[in-house]
Amino acid sequence: MSSIFSKIARGEIPSYKIAESDKFYAFLDINPMSEGHTLVIPKEETDYIFDLGETDFSGLFLFAKKVAEGIKSAVPCTRVGIAVIGLEVPHAHIHLIPINKESDMDFRKPKLKLQKEEMEAIAARISSQIKL
Ligand code: 5GP
């Protein structure tokens, strides 16, 4: 059975797309910790990120770097934080989170509730800043 993120990468489930290459896909987290919270995934399904082959692993991080640069240009923040958890969705993904202070990376905090229009506007702003 395909993971929810495989279905998102194939366009079978909608997402607020940020960027895409032949192998990788970036989209907004549906329950963001901060505005611009983005997930970066390999299109091909692997559960645990450290099970990726070396080429896919390094490719994923290089793709995430370009996405993070776009987030930094589009969203006012001190840094773009990076985290890998993977306890909820069994499809390798990197969290990229605009942060201003350490507690902005606390996954236990209540998530933001943003309207569809706000998510669309954020996604468009970030994606316009990404040069692959
Ligand atoms: P983790 O597996 O790293 O613990 O968390 C999975 C992340 O994926 C969570 O931050 C959650 O909000 C996000 N997420 C779960 N399901 C969906 C979905 O269907 N669409 C999007 N865009 N994000 C999701």
Side-chain angles (χ1 to χ4, degrees):
M1 216 185 64
S2 293
S3 75
I4 192 151
F5 287 176
S6 292
K7 291 179 182 162
I8 284 175
R10 290 199 295 266
E12 294 165 16
I13 290 179
S15 65
Y16 299 101
K17 178 174 154 179
I18 298 292
E20 178 174 21
S21 71
D22 56 337
K23 299 190 80 166
F24 307 108
Y25 190 83
F27 56 106
L28 292 182
D29 194 298
I30 205 71
N31 294 308
M33 313 244 295
S34 63
E35 274 194 25
H37 180 174
T38 297
L39 302 174
V40 182
I41 62 170
K43 289 182 174 176
E44 197 179 301
E45 189 169 331
T46 295
D47 173 0
Y48 185 42
I49 197 162
F50 294 117
D51 285 338
L52 289 171
E54 288 185 1
T55 306
D56 288 344
F57 183 83
S58 52
L60 180 67
F61 276 80
L62 287 173
F63 183 79
K65 181 178 192 293
K66 291 179 179 159
V67 173
E69 287 162 359
I71 295 172
K72 186 75 176 63
S73 303
V75 181
C77 62
T78 309
R79 294 269 159 130
V80 175
I82 181 168
V84 174
I85 299 190
L87 290 173
E88 182 186 329
V89 178
H91 182 134
H93 54 279
I94 295 173
H95 294 260
L96 297 175
I97 303 166
I99 55 169
N100 294 299
K101 53 188 184 311
E102 197 180 336
S103 61
D104 291 338
M105 289 289 285
D106 183 351
F107 279 79
R108 294 165 299 189
K109 280 200 319 193
K111 306 299 186 286
L112 296 183
K113 294 264 178 280
L114 300 176
Q115 298 301 310
K116 183 172 185 286
E117 294 70 27
E118 294 174 281
M119 294 288 269
E120 283 169 353
I122 295 164
R125 229 166 59 219
I126 297 173
S127 97
S128 73
Q129 295 298 318
I130 294 176
K131 296 162 206 75
L132 293 180

